Amino acid sequence: MRPHAFLAGRTAAVHLGLSVGPGALLEVGVLAPNRAPRARGVRGVKVAPHLANVITHEEVRTTDAVSTWAMLGAELTIRELVSLGDQIVRIPRDRRGALLPRQQLGTIDDLGNVVAAGRRRGIGRLQEALPLVRVGSASPLETDFRLDAAAGGLPTPELDVEIHDRNGTLLGITEFVFSQFRTAVEIEGDHHRTDRTQWNRDIDKYAAYAAEGWEVVRLTSAHVRGNRSAVGIVRSVLLRRGWMPAHS
């Protein structure tokens, strides 16, 4: 790339480690009034300077995560924008479960600021997606379940919650928690099955939860995206645990 050019769009998202389907072309941007690059296999993008923040990541110039989210407003669905937004605002944890706020790529306020920065392509979708973004979803699969649960009328869960026993000892960290009904929902990737250490850790964790009166609902991609039974499964547990839907 020329010195003033930078990665943009899906290419920037992938470079930043965000989960979004890569495009067919390498996307390279420039700030106006520079001319967008034209080359085989390259999609050139020209953007107004106030609508993009450019950083250097792993020695390559690229739009930052928040600007990348905004620039994808014209081509991603609202659900995809929420998923991408969730990835940006999540606060990672280390292997011991400690939060790492310095590794957060952006805040919900940051996303709001780019939406308010001025008219751009896809502004309507960005405005619709922004109120749905939450801190705490660690993967697109978790975002999918969260959105489906809201659409299905389930109560609003707490996200990325530390569960302690009555003595204050940390038992584990769970993706979705309905505290009032002592119900924890775990979205499990395939590594929970194939990693023996993780498998044994999960068994110990769920036994400890049960001893403290929690019921654990374990869901996989097949429940969330396959037969789409996840919301119904959680609904049944919550009803059994005392939840009364507002319309009942």
Side-chain angles (χ1 to χ4, degrees):
M1 294 189 297
R2 294 187 176 183
H4 62 274
F6 48 85
L7 300 183
R10 292 176 184 268
T11 304
V14 172
H15 180 61
L16 292 169
L18 298 168
S19 180
V20 59
L25 301 175
L26 184 71
E27 297 183 63
V28 178
V30 295
L31 299 178
N34 293 297
R35 184 174 299 178
R38 300 176 63 182
R40 183 184 299 274
V42 172
R43 176 188 174 193
V45 179
K46 181 168 68 174
V47 59
H50 70 285
L51 295 181
N53 184 47
V54 179
I55 62 172
T56 298
H57 177 69
E58 296 181 352
E59 301 184 6
V60 178
R61 282 167 53 82
T62 180
T63 51
D64 67 7
V66 173
S67 296
T68 300
W69 176 79
M71 292 178 68
L72 286 169
E75 58 184 280
L76 298 185
T77 66
I78 292 173
R79 178 173 283 241
E80 288 171 334
L81 288 169
V82 175
S83 176
L84 186 58
D86 279 1
Q87 294 175 62
I88 292 169
V89 303
R90 71 176 289 259
I91 302 175
R93 293 179 180 269
D94 64 19
R95 292 184 177 181
R96 296 182 178 180
L99 290 169
L100 302 170
R102 291 186 179 181
Q103 292 187 18
Q104 186 183 33
L105 297 178
T107 66
I108 292 178
D109 284 344
D110 291 335
L111 298 182
N113 289 337
V114 296
V115 171
R119 298 292 299 178
R120 66 167 80 229
R121 294 176 61 243
I123 188 66
R125 291 183 192 175
L126 294 171
Q127 290 170 335
E128 287 190 56
L130 179 61
L132 302 176
V133 175
R134 296 285 185 275
V135 176
S137 288
S139 71
L141 189 61
E142 291 180 25
T143 297
D144 280 347
F145 172 72
R146 179 172 66 78
L147 294 177
D148 289 343
L154 297 188
T156 302
E158 301 168 64
L159 308 180
D160 192 33
V161 179
E162 298 179 3
I163 304 293
H164 297 83
D165 66 13
R166 65 200 68 187
N167 298 316
T169 301
L170 178 66
L171 302 179
I173 300 168
T174 290
E175 290 93 345
F176 301 92
V177 168
F178 300 88
S179 296
Q180 182 180 353
F181 310 105
R182 303 292 280 182
T183 299
V185 178
E186 297 271 347
I187 308 293
E188 300 190 348
D190 201 46
H191 71 283
H192 287 266
R193 178 184 63 84
T194 58
D195 186 324
R196 182 178 295 275
T197 300
Q198 182 67 53
W199 176 260
N200 290 327
R201 186 183 298 123
D202 287 344
I203 290 176
D204 291 341
K205 171 181 170 180
Y206 300 143
Y209 279 19
E212 292 294 319
W214 289 88
E215 181 160 350
V216 180
V217 183
R218 303 172 69 183
L219 303 174
T220 67
S221 177
H223 298 115
V224 178
R225 293 175 176 167
N227 57 30
R228 304 186 71 83
S229 60
V231 173
I233 292 171
V234 176
R235 176 186 294 275
S236 296
V237 173
L238 291 175
L239 288 171
R240 179 159 43 78
R241 304 282 289 190
W243 174 53
M244 299 181 64
H247 62 269
S248 62

